[in-house]
Amino acid sequence: MSGGSYVQSTAVNLPAGVYPSEPYGIAVDGAGNLYLTDVSNKRVLKETLSGGAYTGTTVPTTGLNASDGIAVDGNGNIYIADTFNNRVVEETLNGGTYTQSTVAAGLSYPYGVAVDGSGNLYIADTLNNRVLRQNPLGNSQSMVGSGLTYPYGVAVDANGKVYIADSGNHRALKEDFSTAPTLAFAAAGQGSTSTDSPQTVTISNLGNTALVSLPVTYPADFPENQSVVDDCSANTSLATGGTCTLTIDFSPVAAGKSNGTVLLREDVSVAGSSNILVPVSGVELLPQSAAVAPVISPQGGTYSAQQSVRLTDATGGATIYYTTNGSIPTASSTKYTGAISISQTTTINAIAEASGYTASPVASATYAIAFPSAATPVFSPKAGTFSTSQSVTITDATKGAVIYYTANGATPTASSTKYSGAIKVAGTETIQAIAVASGESNSAVASAEYTIQ
């Protein structure tokens, strides 16, 4: 091409054979060398470019019959559509020598071939009305395009897009290449399912015959989620244009990073059968260890005085939560910020929470506070029968004790009348009294009955 237009010239005149040369197929490699199929003479010619001129040689082949299409890969291997033998042969180049082998058979008048940079082979299987894509190992084929009628030519570009001469439909098609998606799942713990499960892949049959699948193989960490009605499964038969869905969970069974492939295999008895591979990956969260249980000090027990209880924990950065009502603490319970004052029988339960750890076991301590009792009050005079009214005094041996009393038969409490001086008894009367002192339990009730005759 020069100045925006093409300039035509003769690249090479083919040498005569037994019959006049009939070049049907042509290919060119990265060095500018030409490869041609000469149908009438059942041969393949290579025209090597050097110094602007071509030097022709015949590629040694065996048993070709009306070879049409030809392609060459980056390694110099040649692929030939051996049309009347219903096959594609490869001439493998090794050390300057070609070795012939059949790489695709069971075809019906294949006319066109192409090969991409990854070594995938594309075959216009003309009378089967299809184009096949065959992997480099030759063990997997899939169909490209749909609704074809007598496709004669096929080409592929550097991006994997396939171009088809769909002769019977009077058109040229472009098929954009689409690989199966790679599914990456959110991290999940062993025995749980990731938060982004399930993920789905839709399988569409773009071919011109039903797709019949064998059992789908799911890796252990990526089981099938069976909640979808039209899930792809064993013996799923998809008509042309039909779809089914692979529905996949991530439920790890082993620690660490998980990688795998969900495999849907097409029934190999169907011509052009292939495998569909869906790469999957996820990370199992390592089991978290629990934070260390808090230490409660002093230890639970029976005490005769009010206690100041402290909580500590050996887990770095831990926060302690506690309860004093016997319930199990959570991160919503009271946060420990300082010593807890205990003046009555109480059970403290505590846990530690820390980043990267599960909650600690519950630490528990019960405190029974048994203060010493104040001395029992003493009446003077003592209870008895008297002929005259009496002036009754009440004393107590406990330092700082406050005396409370009743004269109506009721049991005294700290809410009863506070004793402040001698009590005049003029008639028969019963006086009861208690002593209340800080840091001690209330005294026993003292009682005295006075009878005045």
Side-chain angles (χ1 to χ4, degrees):
M1 184 176 182
S2 175
S5 63
Y6 287 98
V7 177
Q8 180 175 302
S9 62
T10 299
V12 64
N13 289 306
L14 300 187
V18 176
Y19 303 99
S21 299
E22 287 187 276
Y24 266 53
I26 187 168
V28 61
D29 65 19
N33 303 313
L34 301 180
Y35 301 81
L36 302 104
T37 57
D38 180 4
V39 175
S40 59
N41 290 298
K42 300 179 182 180
R43 63 181 178 175
V44 172
L45 301 175
K46 178 180 179 181
E47 298 289 338
T48 303
L49 180 63
S50 177
Y54 289 99
T55 301
T57 57
T58 299
V59 177
T61 59
T62 302
L64 299 183
N65 190 1
S67 52
D68 284 288
I70 188 169
V72 59
D73 67 18
N75 297 315
N77 303 312
I78 304 169
Y79 301 86
I80 305 160
D82 188 12
T83 306
F84 286 3
N85 286 323
N86 299 314
R87 64 176 182 168
V88 172
V89 300
E90 178 182 355
E91 295 290 340
T92 305
L93 181 62
N94 187 5
T97 302
Y98 287 100
T99 302
Q100 180 175 307
S101 62
T102 298
V103 292
L107 309 174
S108 183
Y109 279 58
Y111 274 86
V113 290
V115 62
D116 65 21
S118 299
N120 297 300
L121 181 64
Y122 300 82
I123 305 167
D125 189 12
T126 304
L127 294 192
N128 278 324
N129 298 314
R130 62 183 182 175
V131 170
L132 298 178
R133 178 179 184 266
Q134 180 171 294
N135 70 3
L137 298 177
N139 60 5
S140 175
Q141 290 180 334
S142 58
M143 284 188 289
V144 179
S146 61
L148 305 179
T149 303
Y150 303 139
Y152 271 75
V154 62
V156 59
D157 68 16
N159 296 314
K161 294 181 175 64
V162 180
Y163 301 83
I164 302 169
D166 187 17
S167 301
N169 289 313
H170 315 293
R171 60 181 179 171
L173 300 177
K174 181 176 76 170
E175 300 287 345
D176 287 326
F177 180 68
S178 177
T179 58
T182 296
L183 303 184
F185 289 81
Q190 184 174 342
S192 64
T193 298
S194 68
T195 56
D196 57 352
S197 291
Q199 294 193 39
T200 60
V201 175
T202 299
I203 307 299
S204 301
N205 182 6
L206 301 180
N208 57 6
T209 187
L211 183 155
V212 180
S213 65
L214 297 175
V216 182
T217 301
Y218 293 88
D221 287 343
F222 301 91
E224 176 186 15
N225 180 302
Q226 298 181 341
S227 63
V228 178
V229 175
D230 60 345
D231 222 19
C232 302
S233 59
N235 301 319
T236 295
S237 181
L238 294 181
T240 298
T243 64
C244 67
T245 304
L246 294 174
T247 310
I248 306 163
D249 284 337
F250 176 45
S251 300
V253 296
K257 187 173 183 179
S258 297
N259 293 290
T261 301
V262 175
L263 171 63
L264 184 148
R265 295 171 296 160
E266 190 180 352
D267 191 340
V268 294
S269 66
V270 178
S273 64
S274 61
N275 293 335
I276 297 172
L277 307 176
V278 180
V280 287
S281 66
V283 176
E284 182 197 345
L285 298 173
L286 294 176
Q288 291 181 311
S289 58
V292 177
V295 174
I296 303 177
S297 180
Q299 296 180 349
T302 301
Y303 294 88
S304 60
Q306 179 175 297
Q307 297 297 302
S308 181
V309 178
R310 297 176 303 280
L311 307 180
T312 58
D313 197 87
T315 304
T319 300
I320 300 173
Y321 299 91
Y322 70 95
T323 62
T324 57
N325 60 1
S327 63
I328 300 299
T330 68
S332 298
S333 300
T334 303
K335 180 180 178 179
Y336 177 76
T337 57
I340 306 165
S341 181
I342 302 297
S343 59
Q344 61 185 6
T345 298
T346 302
T347 296
I348 294 179
N349 290 327
I351 60 168
E353 294 265 3
S355 177
Y357 296 84
T358 58
S360 74
V362 177
S364 183
T366 298
Y367 298 88
I369 307 300
F371 296 112
S373 297
T376 303
V378 175
F379 295 98
S380 178
K382 295 179 179 181
T385 300
F386 299 90
S387 59
T388 60
S389 60
Q390 298 294 305
S391 180
V392 178
T393 59
I394 310 174
T395 58
D396 196 89
T398 301
K399 183 178 180 180
V402 177
I403 299 172
Y404 298 90
Y405 72 96
T406 63
N408 59 2
T411 300
T413 67
S415 298
S416 300
T417 303
K418 181 179 178 181
Y419 177 76
S420 57
I423 303 167
K424 184 174 179 63
V425 178
T428 297
E429 192 172 311
T430 297
I431 299 175
Q432 298 186 89
I434 60 169
V436 177
S438 177
E440 301 190 37
S441 298
N442 294 349
S443 73
V445 176
S447 181
E449 183 177 357
Y450 295 91
T451 301
I452 306 298
Q453 294 182 340

